[in-house]
Amino acid sequence: MKTAEIREMAIADLADRLQAAKAEYENTKLAHAMSPLANSASIKAARRDIARMETILNERKN
């Protein structure tokens, strides 16, 4: 998800999307631990998307 898309979201929507992304990230990590993923770069991309969302959410709260 691009930064511009995240900035357009409302705070409540962003918080909900962040929780969903965190849950998906944990499931992806668990699946990768069981058997290697076809695209292991998706773990890195998910982690960066979560960081982007948290950063923008914190910017708006302050």
Side-chain angles (χ1 to χ4, degrees):
M1 176 173 272
K2 295 192 177 203
T3 306
E5 295 172 359
I6 296 171
R7 289 191 190 279
E8 292 174 0
M9 297 173 81
I11 293 175
D13 293 335
L14 183 57
D16 291 340
R17 189 74 178 257
L18 179 61
Q19 291 299 326
K22 285 183 178 181
E24 183 180 339
Y25 172 69
E26 290 299 322
N27 289 335
T28 304
K29 278 190 356 183
L30 182 63
H32 184 63
M34 299 285 189
S35 64
L37 297 174
N39 183 11
S40 60
S42 64
I43 296 171
K44 183 178 180 180
R47 191 173 59 240
R48 288 185 176 185
D49 284 341
I50 290 169
R52 275 189 208 101
M53 287 186 234
E54 288 178 340
T55 300
I56 293 170
L57 194 59
N58 286 332
E59 285 176 356
R60 289 187 183 175
K61 287 183 178 180
N62 291 332

